[in-house]
Amino acid sequence: MSKRTLAIFAAIGATTIYGLNHTIAKGVMPIYVPPMGFIMLRVIGASALFWLISIFGPKEKIDKKDFPKMLLCALLGMGFNMLVFFKGLSLSTPINSAVLVTTTPIIVLILSAIVLKEHIGNRKIIGIGIGLLGALGLILFGAEIRQDAPNIPLGNFLILLNSIFYGAYLIVVKTLITKYHPFTFMKWLFTVGILICLPFGYQELTQIEWLDLPIEAVGAIAFVIIGTTFCTYLFNIFALTQLKASTLSAFVYVQPLIGICYAIGTGQDRLTTIKIIAACFVMLGVYLASKKPISTVDKKV
């Protein structure tokens, strides 16, 4: 099996885990684990796992000139990205979350045009407008009265910010992953992530009542640390060695299907007219923004 095929499977695996995560993580927040405390568990747990498996990787040192980019990657991918997503998810609903993260390819496209000077055609501009209109519709009109979703508009806005930070992370990290082994890169990235998240999550981390946690909550925490954090970041880093950032971000299309089906199947959320319309706008926008003419398709997709 070729590395490119493995990269595609890795990307599918990561987006599947993300799709389940919207409901699984929501199920323990904020009842058992406060959102910022959950982030501390993620970065500490993933850091420990990456240091453990780095024993089986090459012995590498990070070049001093790469420290600023490493810090930026940690801020975008392990700090701001996680913090706003989990806080947003604790305030909103799993389906809103699953729909809004599909704006990531649009964000990557916009940032690629700004940072990498990539050309954006008229169709892509229209797609960006339609997609962002759908996201804005969810933020402004997607509010429901739910005890487990105390501030849906703010939560939706924070989840949209997550897409912006993660899209920026995908672009910045692309310049480093070809230089270092994934184990080396991720262990240092998450170690820096602990320091970034510590001021925001330490107090909430100490509030967790470990002895009172039901087994389902413990299982959800383990899934988020091992699956949503360790595995997905490792899968995505490997996928980026073979795929373009814009191609990898396109796998986010699968998230709403998985996230919505799982949320409804487990009774954690329900579909509404606003959610359906907004999802259609977002998906159509992402499709138009990401679709390329056959003549311009890069060999490395």
Side-chain angles (χ1 to χ4, degrees):
M1 187 178 295
S2 68
K3 284 188 176 181
R4 182 179 178 280
T5 301
L6 287 174
I8 291 174
F9 278 119
I12 293 173
T15 201
T16 300
I17 293 172
Y18 280 137
L20 299 176
N21 180 68
H22 298 287
T23 298
I24 293 175
K26 176 69 177 178
V28 294
M29 290 190 304
I31 300 173
Y32 300 111
V33 182
M36 300 301 180
F38 214 152
I39 297 305
M40 287 303 302
L41 292 178
R42 290 186 69 179
V43 292
I44 292 172
S47 178
L49 290 172
F50 277 115
W51 274 95
L52 183 62
I53 66 169
S54 68
I55 297 173
F56 305 100
K59 301 297 183 287
E60 295 177 309
K61 290 184 178 181
I62 303 297
D63 194 330
K64 289 183 178 180
K65 68 179 182 181
D66 291 328
F67 285 175
K69 284 187 178 180
M70 287 285 291
L71 178 60
L72 182 59
C73 285
L75 283 169
L76 294 171
M78 283 79 211
F80 301 152
N81 164 49
M82 289 187 183
L83 290 168
V84 296
F85 176 74
F86 266 55
K87 184 62 178 178
L89 182 58
S90 72
L91 297 174
S92 189
T93 68
I95 288 181
N96 285 343
S97 174
V99 170
L100 285 170
V101 295
T102 58
T103 58
T104 299
I106 292 178
I107 301 301
V108 170
L109 186 64
I110 295 173
L111 293 176
S112 295
I114 297 173
V115 179
L116 305 179
K117 308 301 181 184
E118 291 185 4
H119 174 69
I120 298 181
N122 291 333
R123 185 185 62 226
K124 292 184 178 182
I125 293 175
I126 294 173
I128 289 171
I130 292 174
L132 293 181
L133 186 63
L136 188 62
L138 262 187
I139 292 172
L140 297 178
F141 308 109
E144 308 168 53
I145 300 176
R146 287 182 52 154
Q147 188 174 0
D148 65 339
N151 194 335
I152 290 179
L154 177 58
N156 290 346
F157 174 71
L158 291 175
I159 293 168
L160 182 61
L161 279 182
N162 156 75
S163 292
I164 295 174
F165 290 136
Y166 188 68
Y169 162 78
L170 287 179
I171 291 177
V172 176
V173 80
K174 183 70 175 176
T175 62
L176 291 176
I177 57 172
T178 56
K179 188 173 181 179
Y180 301 104
H181 190 277
F183 295 171
T184 303
F185 185 74
M186 297 310 295
K187 75 178 182 182
W188 285 112
L189 216 56
F190 273 98
T191 300
V192 176
I194 294 175
L195 300 178
I196 294 171
C197 297
L198 193 60
F200 302 96
Y202 175 75
Q203 185 175 357
E204 289 191 357
L205 179 64
T206 61
Q207 295 173 358
I208 301 174
E209 301 290 343
W210 292 101
L211 297 179
D212 295 332
L213 290 179
I215 189 65
E216 312 88 66
V218 175
I221 292 172
F223 175 85
V224 171
I225 293 174
I226 299 172
T228 310
T229 313
F230 174 73
C231 289
T232 56
Y233 275 81
L234 186 60
F235 290 170
N236 281 334
I237 283 295
F238 172 71
L240 274 173
T241 63
Q242 305 298 318
L243 307 173
K244 295 189 298 180
S246 57
T247 301
L248 178 61
S249 66
F251 281 86
V252 79
Y253 301 163
V254 183
Q255 275 196 53
L257 178 61
I258 297 172
I260 290 172
C261 290
Y262 189 74
I264 294 175
T266 56
Q268 298 297 310
D269 204 350
R270 63 187 181 85
L271 278 175
T272 65
T273 302
I274 287 293
K275 290 177 183 177
I276 294 173
I277 295 175
C280 291
F281 269 79
V282 170
M283 297 300 287
L284 175 60
V286 170
Y287 172 77
L288 291 175
S290 301
K291 183 176 172 58
K292 293 185 178 181
I294 294 177
S295 59
T296 63
V297 173
D298 201 308
K299 286 185 178 181
K300 184 181 179 183
V301 298

